[in-house]
Amino acid sequence: LQSEASLRQCTFTIIEPKQYFEFTPAILRTMVQPLHYESISFPITDCFDPTRSTLFHGKAIAIDSAKNSVTVKLNGGDVRRVPYDFCFVCTGSKYAAPIKVNVHPNIRNDVNLADRAQILRDINSTLCDEAC
């Protein structure tokens, strides 16, 4: 949306628990070729124009359409209300672990790129150990 010429005057607020983007269909390959992970992932901040974006690392837990606001539980546990003019809800997709990390309060939250890459290297090591 940010590259759309008619939206150049708009600012964007992004709510995302992870600090990275990864191209999910390629995850299986990274389990056997861990170095491939670098080509399918990058910091989420690379997706947005920092002069027109605000990024909250957390999870939207409520939308109040009467007050035009979203309640966000930040990764650190704080809760914040974020106002909006227009709200786009993009839910993505859900895969079983380890293909896709599910960010839930009682499950290990691999929200940064280095931890996610290490998990995939560990899976590769386990697969190699079991196959040999």
Side-chain angles (χ1 to χ4, degrees):
L1 286 173
Q2 285 188 326
S3 62
E4 179 65 36
S6 63
L7 299 176
R8 296 237 186 258
Q9 77 282 2
C10 297
T11 59
F12 296 83
T13 300
I14 299 93
I15 301 166
E16 168 62 52
K18 298 186 313 294
Q19 295 178 357
Y20 61 92
F21 169 84
E22 68 185 14
F23 182 64
T24 303
I27 290 295
L28 288 174
R29 179 175 172 189
T30 67
M31 291 180 188
V32 294
Q33 295 177 327
L35 293 178
H36 181 64
Y37 191 70
E38 291 178 19
S39 68
I40 66 157
S41 62
F42 51 85
I44 196 131
T45 53
D46 291 357
C47 297
F48 308 104
D49 177 350
T51 64
R52 298 176 38 229
S53 303
T54 302
L55 176 60
F56 289 99
H57 288 294
K59 190 175 187 176
I61 57 174
I63 298 175
D64 186 338
S65 59
K67 294 182 180 179
N68 282 13
S69 68
V70 175
T71 303
V72 179
K73 183 173 183 181
L74 300 172
N75 286 352
D78 292 341
V79 175
R80 181 164 181 178
R81 180 176 285 188
V82 179
Y84 66 82
D85 292 320
F86 299 97
C87 182
F88 295 89
V89 178
C90 306
T91 61
S93 58
K94 188 172 183 178
Y95 294 79
I99 304 301
K100 190 76 164 182
V101 176
N102 299 312
V103 181
H104 293 101
N106 299 322
I107 298 174
R108 181 175 167 185
N109 293 327
D110 302 305
V111 295
N112 72 59
L113 196 54
D115 287 349
R116 179 67 171 147
Q118 183 60 50
I119 285 169
L120 292 167
R121 285 192 297 275
D122 292 346
I123 289 169
N124 172 262
S125 177
T126 301
L127 289 172
C128 291
D129 289 347
E130 291 176 5
C132 298

